[in-house]
Amino acid sequence: MSYDEVEIEDMTWNEKLQAYTYPCPCGDLFQITLEELRAGEEIARCPSCSLYITVIYDPEDYEN
């Protein structure tokens, strides 16, 4: 089950990671890349723990 649902507008673009990020309770960041968004992915995962969030966005905004 998803930890939370987060609007893409509430996430931050991280140039270094080339991903949208959102703070995780563990202290790290949930991450989802442009490639994942373009592929229709809606899950942003934290690399440091087992939590993940559902990202709310319009897939048409990320089509090539």
Side-chain angles (χ1 to χ4, degrees), residues 33-48:
T33 66
L34 278 178
E35 291 77 25
E36 290 170 326
L37 292 168
R38 289 180 181 138
E41 180 64 65
E42 60 182 23
I43 300 298
R45 301 183 187 283
C46 176
S48 296

Side-chain angles (χ1 to χ4, degrees), residues 17-36:
L17 295 173
Q18 289 292 297
Y20 285 95
T21 63
Y22 190 79
C24 180
C26 80
D28 204 342
L29 297 169
F30 294 107
Q31 303 174 20
I32 191 165
T33 66
L34 278 178
E35 291 77 25
E36 290 170 326

Side-chain angles (χ1 to χ4, degrees), residues 33-40 57-64:
T33 66
L34 278 178
E35 291 77 25
E36 290 170 326
L37 292 168
R38 289 180 181 138
Y57 71 102
D58 183 351
E60 292 180 6
D61 292 344
Y62 296 93
E63 290 178 352
N64 289 339

